[in-house]
Amino acid sequence: MSRAPLNIGYLPLVDAAPLIIAQKMGFADTEGIRLALHKQPSWSALRDGVALGTLDAGHMLSPLPVAMSLGLGGLPTAMDALLVMSVNGNVIGVSNGLASKMRSNGWREDFRDPLATGKHLIRASGRKLRIGVPFPFSMHAELVYFWLNALGLKTPDELDVRTVPPPHMADAIAANEIDAFCVGEPWGSIAVETGVGELILPANSIWTFSPEKVLAARRDWIETNPAETRALMRAVVTAARWLGDPENRLVASEILAQPGLIDVPSEVIDRALSGQITSKPKALAHRVPRFLEFHASAANFPWRSQAAWIASNIAARVGLDRTEAMRISMACYRSDLYRANLTDLGLDMPGASAKMEGALAQPTPVASAKGSIILGPDAFFDGSIFDPGKGL
């Protein structure tokens, strides 16, 4: 295999950790590849870099390969998700003024209650809510639309959704350009640290097991470079498994905090890794189980049903044929390559590549090659269940 480095794009987020750890802990070397990691200023820059070939692969928002494969938002490109790098990990926050107004209207700061908190947010906003998300095709946007629509807001028409790169989210709320945000860590905590906002929900209170970032590459690059694809997948999933061990947490936070990487204090990064989220200055931290999952519960498996859920929602919003969008999306979540390239790492493989999303309220054993996989919970806050078989 060539020892030329693979050029991989990422944004400075805690959930970029599997790529960073794969490089720093030598897991890429073990697989015979070198990683050149390139920090990107925005998701559009990363998308274009992968689409145009200046990057070989990237840390990518889970809806982005779906959107690109549907010809939305930039150059139409057949883009595949090789594996899920992280599940959950986002927070929803508001300006200090909006938090005060919610509180004066009776909000009891129910950090894990999306129903009560969402109703107070809608009531207190008093106008078309301006909410920042990192990219139009992101799990952040999908969760916000899903959440507020279920509470009676007609989305997207009754929302003013604005794109703000994650590192600039605190600045945007300080400048009164947005009223609220949904963003990945550590950038929600930075808004708290700088005193410009409060966190009102962890996003996993809306969907308890949402695929957040994927390792993605162009389909033609994957077909042309099968050995590099296999090695990259193995290095990243080995890093994700390492990150899933709580004993490695402090080492991970120190590595991620290094200058040139995420470059914020390690104690702020550790909030996401430990699931101890501080919602406002001087407050006790909220313990949020499974706030950010790197490996457990088959977190890295690219479920085609998750791609179908994303595509179904995007299609409804932009006016595409839902059946065709779901068909295309399920083909770009590469559970076939996941099985082919990673089984001999000792990973247990689910017996199916799609499942009913939202159906598991409790941890549940499922059919798998070794019989050791326990999934879930993966419930939506409103109790809905998504069947990927309907409409196909």
Side-chain angles (χ1 to χ4, degrees):
M1 190 185 309
S2 170
R3 288 292 290 174
L6 300 181
N7 293 301
I8 312 294
Y10 75 100
L11 259 67
L13 289 152
V14 178
D15 57 27
L19 278 171
I20 295 170
I21 293 299
Q23 182 198 58
K24 296 293 184 181
M25 297 301 293
F27 299 130
D29 293 334
T30 300
E31 296 297 335
I33 55 173
R34 288 191 293 137
L35 301 183
L37 301 183
H38 302 274
K39 187 178 349 183
Q40 303 295 301
S42 66
W43 289 113
S44 58
L46 188 146
R47 174 202 60 193
D48 293 348
V50 178
L52 295 172
T54 56
L55 297 170
D56 296 314
H59 159 239
M60 197 171 282
L61 298 155
S62 59
L64 198 44
V66 172
M68 294 175 76
S69 296
L70 295 176
L72 299 171
L75 297 171
T77 305
M79 187 72 64
D80 286 347
L82 296 166
L83 56 84
V84 176
M85 287 177 56
S86 61
V87 166
N88 302 332
N90 297 321
V91 290
I92 296 172
V94 298
S95 67
N96 290 330
L98 185 51
S100 295
K101 196 171 180 182
M102 290 171 64
R103 209 171 278 118
S104 66
N105 287 341
W107 177 52
R108 300 175 61 182
E109 304 185 38
D110 307 309
F111 192 64
R112 302 288 306 281
D113 187 345
L115 184 63
T117 295
K119 288 181 177 178
H120 278 288
L121 175 63
I122 293 170
R123 180 182 176 195
S125 60
R127 60 180 179 184
K128 199 170 189 177
L129 182 68
R130 302 172 303 167
I131 187 161
V133 299
F135 199 68
F137 301 110
S138 62
M139 187 53 67
H140 315 77
E142 297 306 327
L143 291 177
V144 165
Y145 288 135
F146 175 79
W147 172 43
L148 296 180
N149 187 65
L151 296 179
L153 206 64
K154 292 182 173 55
T155 63
D157 294 343
E158 294 182 356
L159 275 179
D160 181 357
V161 176
R162 301 186 179 190
T163 300
V164 181
H168 301 303
M169 204 63 81
D171 293 338
I173 207 156
N176 194 31
E177 295 169 356
I178 54 176
D179 306 306
F181 58 77
C182 182
V183 73
E185 284 291 89
W187 302 110
S189 290
I190 291 297
V192 174
E193 288 296 298
T194 54
V196 301
E198 293 186 23
L199 305 183
I200 60 172
L201 279 180
N204 70 347
S205 64
I206 299 171
W207 184 8
T208 54
F209 205 75
S210 61
E212 175 52 36
K213 298 299 186 311
V214 295
L215 175 65
R218 289 191 332 273
R219 188 167 298 168
D220 66 321
W221 185 89
I222 293 168
E223 292 170 349
T224 307
N225 300 277
E228 287 81 359
T229 299
R230 173 182 168 86
L232 178 61
M233 292 176 69
R234 293 165 69 88
V236 171
V237 86
T238 301
R241 183 161 53 185
W242 183 90
L243 285 159
D245 184 342
E247 292 190 359
N248 296 326
R249 197 187 84 218
L250 294 180
V251 175
S253 62
E254 293 289 345
I255 291 173
L256 298 175
Q258 292 176 5
L261 296 175
I262 299 178
D263 207 6
V264 303
S266 61
E267 58 268 28
V268 177
I269 289 172
D270 190 59
R271 295 177 191 177
L273 297 178
S274 65
Q276 298 286 334
I277 305 300
T278 302
S279 61
K280 60 183 180 181
K282 300 180 181 178
L284 293 175
H286 300 270
R287 181 177 178 275
V288 183
R290 307 174 86 204
F291 175 78
L292 174 59
E293 194 70 76
F294 285 114
H295 186 67
S297 301
N300 303 120
F301 189 77
W303 291 99
R304 291 182 164 170
S305 44
Q306 294 175 339
W309 183 85
I310 293 167
S312 177
N313 288 320
I314 290 176
R317 197 163 60 248
V318 306
L320 295 178
D321 180 86
R322 178 174 174 268
T323 299
E324 181 66 3
M326 289 171 62
R327 185 190 64 77
I328 292 171
S329 73
M330 294 176 82
C332 75
Y333 266 46
R334 300 300 300 272
S335 51
D336 57 330
L337 291 180
Y338 190 91
R339 295 179 197 281
N341 289 332
L342 302 178
T343 295
D344 64 354
L345 283 179
L347 303 183
D348 197 3
M349 295 290 165
S353 295
K355 57 187 174 69
M356 304 280 276
E357 297 295 337
L360 302 179
Q362 301 294 331
T364 304
V366 297
S368 65
K370 295 182 178 179
S372 62
I373 291 181
I374 297 177
L375 297 182
D378 70 349
F380 295 101
F381 85 100
D382 64 348
S384 61
I385 294 175
F386 175 76
D387 179 355
K390 286 188 176 178
L392 288 178

